[in-house]
Amino acid sequence: MKPVKDLVEVALGTKTADLVLKNANVFNSFTGEFFTGDVAVVSGYIAGIGDYSGKEEIDLQGAYVTPGFIDGHVHIESSMVSPAEFARALVPMGTLTAVVDPHEIANVTGTAGIRYMLNASENLPINIYVMLPSCVPATPLETAGATLTAKELAQFINHPRVLGLGELMDYPGVLTASEEMLKKLAVANEKLIDGHAPGITGKELTAYIAAGVTSEHECTTAEEARERLAYGMYLMLREGSATKNLLDLLPVVNRYTASRCLFVTDDRHPEDLIKLGSINHMVKLAVEAGADLATILQMATINAANYFRLYDLGAVAPGYRADLLVFADLGEFRPKLVFKDGKLVAKEGKPLFSGYPVADREVRNTMRLKEIKPEKLKIPASSNKARVIGLVPRQIVTKKLELELPVEGGYFKIVPEKDIIKLAVFERHNYTGNVGVGLIHGLGLKKGAIASTVAHDSHNLVVAGINDDDIVLAVEELQRIGGGLTVVADGKVLGSLPLPIAGLMSDRALNEVQEELEKLHRLVRSLGVYDDYDPFMTLAFLSLPVIPELKLTDLGLVDVGTFSLVPVSL
């Protein structure tokens, strides 16, 4: 509860503040101006800006103060670390509020994953809010570890840190007003519903919005973004590790639309979190691209707070939470001091806090593979022509290739010399024994196999390899370590990164995870994978059957254009 009496007395000057940041250049989120003054804080809230004294005083000598940054849509799982370690990465870079969608862990462990995310993000010096994963499983073309119906979601909707429904990917369910979708929309009960509907336009987009969807983060072109803004949606400009749309969408931000625009990272992997940061990196990119500084700071703070109805965040103003960033300059946007609720929690890029033990038994031991039989890796051939997944450098989309391949004993043979190798997806949640097998072109792998249990959206086990023995070895290694990433060759495991939390996240420090990732990347490069590909990120999206053109799931090869399973053989 807000300490009203303390705030009034400190604001009037009849009581001494707990903390005063003296001689600050303060950003005003409402007017877009900077002004000089002291920032007085009591009981975690801002009492006033002016001339104040405090029990503790820090002379900023003209340094700049802004509100804490807000990330409007992010999946913690993509950082490959626990919520506490995620906080230790974000807070020193200035992100003090994150609205997370636990879609990834929910696809593996269902409601247990949502409970884990809520519990593990309590009592951290960052505001973690949750948008409930609305589409688990994401499609009927793969096997997830759970199914979340409206009934399962309803048990969380009144949690104080749950703000609504996360990205509503099943827009066909909305447009056909399916019974289950209507129930899910009703669960939101006047709370927010985030969108995820790339490509739809006109009346279909109108119907989608009319159903109650309030935002979009999947826009890739300015034209797409303008249409959504014109229909009243909030536009989330995204800059992640795999999808980078910020600079393409900046032209739509003007004096009329800016208040409806905010920043999101969606997915940021360890290397980017360490080297670039989070929302601070987006602020820097936008300003360097020539955008108005005040507008960009509003998008990073008050706009997101207003959209998510977090009305005590996003401003350095009386009655607002004292989530404050102190910058020596407004060039690099790396804060030298970070205050959460008026407490110093990071200094010079280093966190001043650690995590705490969290019960996570329900989200461990998630590798439930049936016996691995090499014969399941054979690809039947009814002709010598095959559908092959064509990789596209630095993209998560693929091409639908039709290539002639050698056939032996009624099965396709891979052609490593032509960069055509095997891809397999093993169901790992329910002991079904499902194995989808296909072919990919363009990765560069010359020997061995690489495998991962980070495989959007259902996070089954995906593996690319030159020979069946190494493919099986890679699968067995991931089963042994409880999920993660591995590289094998010539019958030997060359390196692995265990991700024991749902096969998605490590229980180790972010820097340690990144060091192990770098080792695995070096190993993969030594096996021939081209520099154009982040090997494990590429694997992770090859099983996502909603991104064109061909993908592979545990159920088989998916033609995304027809949204159907097709045989490899033509």
Side-chain angles (χ1 to χ4, degrees):
M1 184 174 292
K2 188 177 291 187
V4 175
K5 184 172 184 293
D6 289 344
L7 285 169
V8 169
E9 292 175 348
V10 171
L12 290 171
T14 58
K15 180 177 179 176
T16 303
D18 295 336
L19 169 71
V20 174
L21 302 180
K22 304 285 288 185
N23 303 310
N25 253 315
V26 181
F27 176 68
N28 189 306
S29 297
F30 310 114
T31 67
E33 300 169 302
F34 282 89
F35 60 95
T36 58
D38 305 335
V39 181
V41 176
V42 63
S43 301
Y45 287 80
I46 298 164
I49 299 96
D51 183 11
Y52 289 98
S53 59
K55 298 169 187 174
E56 179 185 3
E57 296 183 352
I58 301 175
D59 188 352
L60 297 186
Q61 299 179 330
Y64 300 90
V65 174
T66 74
F69 294 151
I70 300 173
D71 188 338
H73 175 73
V74 62
H75 304 281
I76 291 178
E77 302 96 317
S78 295
S79 69
M80 295 188 182
V81 292
S82 67
E85 195 60 26
F86 179 73
R88 282 171 50 82
L90 261 65
V91 168
M93 295 294 104
T95 297
L96 289 177
T97 299
V99 182
V100 310
D101 180 348
H103 172 85
E104 316 300 345
I105 196 169
N107 264 283
V108 180
T109 62
T111 55
I114 300 175
R115 281 194 300 272
Y116 167 76
M117 282 297 192
L118 285 167
N119 294 337
S121 59
E122 282 277 10
N123 304 316
L124 294 171
I126 183 173
N127 307 308
I128 299 287
Y129 293 98
V130 169
M131 296 292 279
L132 297 175
S134 61
C135 298
V136 176
T139 78
L141 299 174
E142 55 190 332
T143 306
T147 298
L148 293 183
T149 66
K151 183 178 179 181
E152 278 82 37
L153 296 175
Q155 65 186 282
F156 296 102
I157 196 67
N158 292 321
H159 189 286
R161 289 192 289 118
V162 169
L163 304 180
L165 292 185
E167 49 186 321
L168 199 64
M169 292 180 283
D170 183 15
Y171 61 81
V174 175
L175 300 182
T176 58
S178 74
E179 183 179 353
E180 180 58 27
M181 180 53 66
L182 291 176
K183 289 178 181 177
K184 286 183 178 180
L185 294 173
V187 166
N189 191 26
E190 302 302 319
K191 290 195 173 186
L192 300 167
I193 303 173
D194 279 344
H196 177 124
I200 70 168
T201 186
K203 288 186 176 179
E204 288 189 339
L205 177 60
T206 304
Y208 184 66
I209 296 169
V213 181
T214 42
S215 71
E216 178 65 271
H217 68 274
E218 287 288 339
C219 292
T220 58
T221 67
E223 181 182 16
E224 199 174 17
R226 285 192 188 96
E227 185 179 20
R228 280 149 178 75
L229 285 166
Y231 287 152
M233 282 182 133
Y234 276 78
L235 177 66
M236 296 176 169
L237 288 81
R238 172 175 60 182
E239 189 77 7
S241 292
T243 44
K244 304 175 188 292
N245 311 121
L246 171 61
L247 298 183
D248 292 329
L249 302 185
L250 264 183
V252 307
V253 180
N254 57 43
R255 62 182 175 138
Y256 303 108
T257 63
S259 65
R260 310 282 289 188
C261 298
L262 58 145
F263 288 140
V264 307
T265 59
D266 200 356
D267 291 299
R268 282 234 167 176
H269 300 130
E271 182 178 12
D272 285 344
L273 286 174
I274 292 168
K275 294 182 178 178
L276 302 176
S278 176
I279 298 300
N280 64 305
H281 174 238
M282 297 186 68
V283 171
K284 182 174 186 289
L285 275 181
V287 172
E288 287 178 347
D292 175 64
L293 171 62
T295 300
I296 295 305
L297 288 176
Q298 288 173 324
M299 290 167 63
T301 58
I302 194 69
N303 292 6
N306 285 341
Y307 168 62
F308 287 108
R309 305 168 184 170
L310 302 172
Y311 296 126
D312 58 356
L313 292 175
V316 184
Y320 280 69
R321 279 192 258 177
D323 290 2
L324 305 168
L325 311 180
V326 178
F327 296 94
D329 62 69
L330 295 177
E332 287 303 309
F333 291 100
R334 287 183 173 260
K336 67 175 185 176
L337 300 175
V338 178
F339 296 88
K340 178 72 185 77
D341 297 325
K343 305 292 184 185
L344 184 65
V345 293
K347 184 176 182 180
E348 303 293 352
K350 303 293 183 185
L352 302 178
F353 62 95
S354 58
Y356 55 91
V358 176
D360 59 8
R361 184 177 59 84
E362 283 190 298
V363 293
R364 287 181 179 258
N365 303 314
T366 59
M367 297 297 291
R368 301 182 182 96
L369 281 158
K370 202 166 184 179
E371 182 183 356
I372 302 156
K373 296 180 178 179
E375 55 264 31
K376 286 207 168 186
L377 294 172
K378 293 181 177 181
I379 306 173
S382 57
S383 75
N384 68 342
K385 289 197 75 174
R387 294 180 176 89
V388 177
I389 300 170
L391 303 187
V392 180
R394 298 184 174 86
Q395 298 289 333
I396 62 174
V397 297
T398 62
K399 298 234 175 159
K400 181 165 54 176
L401 305 179
E402 297 181 358
L403 303 176
E404 290 188 1
L405 294 177
V407 176
E408 186 176 281
Y411 299 100
F412 283 117
K413 289 183 65 179
I414 64 168
V415 192
E417 60 272 21
K418 292 186 178 179
D419 208 2
I420 300 170
I421 65 172
K422 194 170 284 186
L423 182 73
V425 177
F426 289 74
E427 194 279 325
R428 61 124 173 157
H429 306 299
N430 306 298
Y431 299 109
T432 65
N434 293 346
V435 183
V437 189
L439 300 159
I440 58 172
H441 172 266
L443 186 62
L445 189 69
K446 296 295 187 291
K447 70 175 189 174
I450 60 174
S452 171
T453 53
V454 178
H456 301 288
D457 270 330
S458 289
H459 299 289
N460 285 303
L461 191 159
V462 59
V463 53
I466 299 297
N467 64 77
D468 292 352
D469 289 342
D470 280 341
I471 288 174
V472 169
L473 177 61
V475 175
E476 290 173 341
E477 169 66 1
L478 292 186
Q479 187 171 29
R480 183 187 71 82
I481 65 176
L485 317 176
T486 192
V487 181
V488 308
D490 299 326
K492 296 179 180 177
V493 176
L494 304 182
S496 298
L497 171 61
L499 300 174
I501 303 173
L504 302 175
M505 296 180 285
S506 172
D507 50 9
R508 297 159 63 189
L510 182 69
N511 284 322
E512 293 178 38
V513 172
Q514 177 55 24
E515 286 172 10
E516 292 303 314
L517 265 177
E518 288 176 354
K519 289 178 186 176
L520 292 182
H521 282 187
R522 288 194 293 271
L523 287 170
V524 170
R525 300 289 178 226
S526 74
L527 299 180
V529 172
Y530 301 130
D531 290 342
D532 285 336
Y533 299 103
D534 178 311
F536 295 105
M537 192 187 303
T538 299
L539 274 188
F541 285 100
L542 283 176
S543 59
L544 182 57
V546 294
I547 302 293
E549 294 179 336
L550 275 185
K551 293 296 167 74
L552 184 72
T553 75
D554 67 298
L555 299 181
L557 192 64
V558 177
D559 184 325
V560 180
T562 61
F563 205 59
S564 63
L565 294 167
V566 295
V568 174
S569 185
L570 284 158

mmCIF file of all heavy atoms in Angstrom, residues 77 81 116 119 153 165 213 255 291 314 371 373 510 524 527 551 565:
data_model
loop_
_atom_site.group_PDB
_atom_site.id
_atom_site.type_symbol
_atom_site.label_atom_id
_atom_site.label_comp_id
_atom_site.label_asym_id
_atom_site.label_seq_id
_atom_site.Cartn_x
_atom_site.Cartn_y
_atom_site.Cartn_z
ATOM 1 N N GLU A 77 12.612 -17.592 -20.760
ATOM 2 C CA GLU A 77 13.233 -18.855 -21.149
ATOM 3 C C GLU A 77 14.312 -18.665 -22.213
ATOM 4 O O GLU A 77 15.284 -19.428 -22.263
ATOM 5 C CB GLU A 77 12.181 -19.826 -21.677
ATOM 6 C CG GLU A 77 11.063 -20.131 -20.683
ATOM 7 C CD GLU A 77 9.839 -19.276 -20.904
ATOM 8 O OE1 GLU A 77 10.017 -18.052 -21.136
ATOM 9 O OE2 GLU A 77 8.717 -19.804 -20.846
ATOM 10 N N VAL A 81 18.409 -18.907 -18.620
ATOM 11 C CA VAL A 81 18.721 -18.882 -17.190
ATOM 12 C C VAL A 81 17.439 -18.681 -16.390
ATOM 13 O O VAL A 81 16.390 -18.345 -16.941
ATOM 14 C CB VAL A 81 19.748 -17.775 -16.832
ATOM 15 C CG1 VAL A 81 21.119 -18.098 -17.421
ATOM 16 C CG2 VAL A 81 19.271 -16.401 -17.305
ATOM 17 N N TYR A 116 5.891 -21.866 -11.550
ATOM 18 C CA TYR A 116 7.329 -21.681 -11.321
ATOM 19 C C TYR A 116 7.744 -20.255 -11.664
ATOM 20 O O TYR A 116 8.475 -19.609 -10.889
ATOM 21 C CB TYR A 116 8.127 -22.680 -12.165
ATOM 22 C CG TYR A 116 9.605 -22.346 -12.228
ATOM 23 C CD1 TYR A 116 10.437 -22.607 -11.146
ATOM 24 C CD2 TYR A 116 10.151 -21.729 -13.352
ATOM 25 C CE1 TYR A 116 11.785 -22.270 -11.183
ATOM 26 C CE2 TYR A 116 11.495 -21.387 -13.405
ATOM 27 C CZ TYR A 116 12.304 -21.662 -12.316
ATOM 28 O OH TYR A 116 13.636 -21.320 -12.356
ATOM 29 N N ASN A 119 6.465 -17.853 -8.954
ATOM 30 C CA ASN A 119 7.164 -18.018 -7.672
ATOM 31 C C ASN A 119 8.625 -17.584 -7.758
ATOM 32 O O ASN A 119 9.148 -16.943 -6.846
ATOM 33 C CB ASN A 119 7.079 -19.474 -7.210
ATOM 34 C CG ASN A 119 5.668 -19.904 -6.862
ATOM 35 O OD1 ASN A 119 4.820 -19.062 -6.561
ATOM 36 N ND2 ASN A 119 5.400 -21.189 -6.920
ATOM 37 N N LEU A 153 -6.196 -21.673 -17.433
ATOM 38 C CA LEU A 153 -5.761 -20.280 -17.385
ATOM 39 C C LEU A 153 -6.517 -19.494 -16.322
ATOM 40 O O LEU A 153 -5.959 -18.597 -15.681
ATOM 41 C CB LEU A 153 -5.949 -19.629 -18.758
ATOM 42 C CG LEU A 153 -5.102 -20.207 -19.905
ATOM 43 C CD1 LEU A 153 -5.489 -19.558 -21.222
ATOM 44 C CD2 LEU A 153 -3.620 -20.019 -19.627
ATOM 45 N N LEU A 165 -3.959 -11.981 -21.081
ATOM 46 C CA LEU A 165 -3.573 -13.104 -21.933
ATOM 47 C C LEU A 165 -2.416 -12.708 -22.835
ATOM 48 O O LEU A 165 -2.425 -11.624 -23.435
ATOM 49 C CB LEU A 165 -4.749 -13.554 -22.812
ATOM 50 C CG LEU A 165 -5.955 -14.206 -22.135
ATOM 51 C CD1 LEU A 165 -6.925 -14.683 -23.206
ATOM 52 C CD2 LEU A 165 -5.541 -15.358 -21.244
ATOM 53 N N VAL A 213 -8.340 -7.914 -28.765
ATOM 54 C CA VAL A 213 -6.870 -7.910 -28.827
ATOM 55 C C VAL A 213 -6.388 -6.466 -28.863
ATOM 56 O O VAL A 213 -6.886 -5.645 -29.630
ATOM 57 C CB VAL A 213 -6.381 -8.683 -30.058
ATOM 58 C CG1 VAL A 213 -4.853 -8.698 -30.095
ATOM 59 C CG2 VAL A 213 -6.922 -10.111 -30.034
ATOM 60 N N ARG A 255 4.283 12.390 -33.953
ATOM 61 C CA ARG A 255 3.649 13.063 -32.812
ATOM 62 C C ARG A 255 2.228 12.557 -32.561
ATOM 63 O O ARG A 255 1.692 12.731 -31.472
ATOM 64 C CB ARG A 255 3.643 14.582 -33.007
ATOM 65 C CG ARG A 255 2.870 15.067 -34.209
ATOM 66 C CD ARG A 255 2.989 16.583 -34.327
ATOM 67 N NE ARG A 255 2.351 17.090 -35.530
ATOM 68 C CZ ARG A 255 1.613 18.173 -35.567
ATOM 69 N NH1 ARG A 255 1.394 18.858 -34.454
ATOM 70 N NH2 ARG A 255 1.091 18.609 -36.702
ATOM 71 N N ALA A 291 15.998 9.348 -34.081
ATOM 72 C CA ALA A 291 14.705 9.557 -33.432
ATOM 73 C C ALA A 291 14.836 10.572 -32.301
ATOM 74 O O ALA A 291 15.911 10.748 -31.713
ATOM 75 C CB ALA A 291 14.171 8.234 -32.895
ATOM 76 N N GLY A 314 6.839 4.385 -14.699
ATOM 77 C CA GLY A 314 7.090 5.078 -15.958
ATOM 78 C C GLY A 314 7.369 6.546 -15.864
ATOM 79 O O GLY A 314 7.550 7.212 -16.887
ATOM 80 N N GLU A 371 12.087 -45.356 -26.201
ATOM 81 C CA GLU A 371 13.312 -45.991 -26.686
ATOM 82 C C GLU A 371 13.685 -45.459 -28.073
ATOM 83 O O GLU A 371 12.842 -45.356 -28.966
ATOM 84 C CB GLU A 371 13.113 -47.505 -26.758
ATOM 85 C CG GLU A 371 14.355 -48.255 -27.200
ATOM 86 C CD GLU A 371 14.094 -49.743 -27.340
ATOM 87 O OE1 GLU A 371 12.977 -50.191 -27.017
ATOM 88 O OE2 GLU A 371 15.014 -50.455 -27.776
ATOM 89 N N LYS A 373 15.144 -45.754 -31.519
ATOM 90 C CA LYS A 373 15.445 -46.801 -32.483
ATOM 91 C C LYS A 373 15.957 -46.183 -33.785
ATOM 92 O O LYS A 373 15.260 -45.381 -34.418
ATOM 93 C CB LYS A 373 14.194 -47.635 -32.757
ATOM 94 C CG LYS A 373 13.693 -48.383 -31.530
ATOM 95 C CD LYS A 373 12.458 -49.199 -31.846
ATOM 96 C CE LYS A 373 11.991 -49.973 -30.614
ATOM 97 N NZ LYS A 373 10.760 -50.766 -30.883
ATOM 98 N N LEU A 510 24.502 -16.517 -15.742
ATOM 99 C CA LEU A 510 24.419 -16.157 -17.157
ATOM 100 C C LEU A 510 25.782 -16.203 -17.829
ATOM 101 O O LEU A 510 25.925 -16.709 -18.947
ATOM 102 C CB LEU A 510 23.792 -14.767 -17.305
ATOM 103 C CG LEU A 510 23.597 -14.280 -18.741
ATOM 104 C CD1 LEU A 510 22.515 -15.096 -19.443
ATOM 105 C CD2 LEU A 510 23.224 -12.797 -18.764
ATOM 106 N N VAL A 524 30.900 -26.432 -33.165
ATOM 107 C CA VAL A 524 30.028 -26.551 -34.328
ATOM 108 C C VAL A 524 30.700 -25.981 -35.574
ATOM 109 O O VAL A 524 30.621 -26.566 -36.664
ATOM 110 C CB VAL A 524 28.681 -25.843 -34.052
ATOM 111 C CG1 VAL A 524 27.857 -25.741 -35.324
ATOM 112 C CG2 VAL A 524 27.896 -26.607 -32.994
ATOM 113 N N LEU A 527 32.994 -28.282 -37.188
ATOM 114 C CA LEU A 527 32.329 -29.351 -37.938
ATOM 115 C C LEU A 527 31.756 -28.841 -39.258
ATOM 116 O O LEU A 527 31.127 -29.600 -39.996
ATOM 117 C CB LEU A 527 31.200 -29.980 -37.104
ATOM 118 C CG LEU A 527 31.610 -30.631 -35.779
ATOM 119 C CD1 LEU A 527 30.394 -31.214 -35.075
ATOM 120 C CD2 LEU A 527 32.659 -31.714 -36.005
ATOM 121 N N LYS A 551 8.728 -26.732 -42.378
ATOM 122 C CA LYS A 551 9.283 -26.981 -41.054
ATOM 123 C C LYS A 551 9.063 -28.449 -40.707
ATOM 124 O O LYS A 551 8.316 -29.163 -41.395
ATOM 125 C CB LYS A 551 8.632 -26.070 -40.005
ATOM 126 C CG LYS A 551 8.975 -24.582 -40.189
ATOM 127 C CD LYS A 551 10.468 -24.302 -40.002
ATOM 128 C CE LYS A 551 10.879 -22.921 -40.478
ATOM 129 N NZ LYS A 551 10.473 -21.852 -39.615
ATOM 130 N N LEU A 565 0.549 -31.595 -42.911
ATOM 131 C CA LEU A 565 1.669 -32.527 -42.949
ATOM 132 C C LEU A 565 1.797 -33.094 -44.355
ATOM 133 O O LEU A 565 0.792 -33.468 -44.981
ATOM 134 C CB LEU A 565 1.450 -33.649 -41.946
ATOM 135 C CG LEU A 565 1.453 -33.234 -40.470
ATOM 136 C CD1 LEU A 565 0.916 -34.366 -39.599
ATOM 137 C CD2 LEU A 565 2.855 -32.847 -40.010
#
